[in-house]
Amino acid sequence: MTRFEPLTVRDLPLLREWLEREHVRRWWRDPIEDAMAEYAASAERSAPTEHYLIVVDDRRVGMAQTYLVSDYPEWDAIVQVGPGVAGVDLFIGETDAIGRGLGPRVLTEFVQSVVFADPETTACVATVEEANSRSLRAFEKAGFRPVREVEEDGVPHRLLRLDRRPQGA
């Protein structure tokens, strides 16, 4: 069973530990202190991005985040996705949980139970580094479709999008 627990201040040491692991740091390149400040603000509910621990079978295995793209004008100008679109990102922090098909399942459940819980959210997007084939496959298996290439921090990324399914579809 998978669930998503809103991030709390007491979770910050675990997030730092995950961010320092090579398999996370390779793709999650923000300076750790900057990331920790963002997570602390989120845990105190003073930031527009919402962070959640990914809990599978009562074990914390990673972190997922969502935000409205329009809350970040510089990012909105890059991805140009329009109103009502949420961004989503995640990582699996526990090494032994990688390569077990968890990514697509977690993405699907997170989008349906958290991101699309807001009826105003019409779609969600993610940018994945072109070289991160494992993450690209996970998003595609979760139903995200490629939109176009974008550049983020000088590195080519693929913009992926998942539209909300109409009621009854």
Side-chain angles (χ1 to χ4, degrees), residues 77-144:
I78 292 170
V79 295
Q80 302 174 9
V81 293
V85 178
V88 64
D89 301 287
L90 68 80
F91 65 76
I92 303 299
E94 294 297 333
T95 307
D96 64 348
I98 296 171
R100 299 180 180 267
L102 196 56
R105 183 178 66 160
V106 166
L107 278 166
T108 299
E109 291 178 24
F110 184 70
V111 167
Q112 295 307 315
S113 66
V114 177
V115 179
F116 287 152
D118 179 348
E120 301 293 315
T121 302
T122 60
C124 63
V125 294
T127 55
V128 178
E129 194 169 321
E130 287 288 338
N132 192 345
S133 58
R134 180 176 286 181
S135 184
L136 285 169
R137 279 193 312 274
F139 275 93
E140 289 172 354
K141 285 180 180 180
F144 285 75

Side-chain angles (χ1 to χ4, degrees), residues 15-87:
L15 284 182
R16 178 182 290 279
E17 179 183 325
W18 287 337
L19 289 171
E20 291 173 344
R21 291 183 178 168
E22 180 57 35
H23 74 277
V24 174
R25 189 178 35 195
R26 179 175 181 198
W27 307 110
W28 209 271
R29 292 193 196 103
D30 292 337
I32 290 178
E33 293 311 318
D34 293 350
M36 294 308 298
E38 177 185 339
Y39 300 152
S42 177
E44 294 167 356
R45 311 300 181 252
S46 62
T49 299
E50 298 174 9
H51 294 88
Y52 297 84
L53 290 182
I54 301 165
V55 182
V56 177
D57 297 329
D58 293 322
R59 181 179 178 218
R60 296 167 170 192
V61 297
M63 190 271 299
Q65 66 182 27
T66 186
Y67 55 90
L68 282 178
V69 174
S70 61
D71 284 341
Y72 296 91
E74 288 180 19
W75 183 237
D76 195 13
I78 292 170
V79 295
Q80 302 174 9
V81 293
V85 178

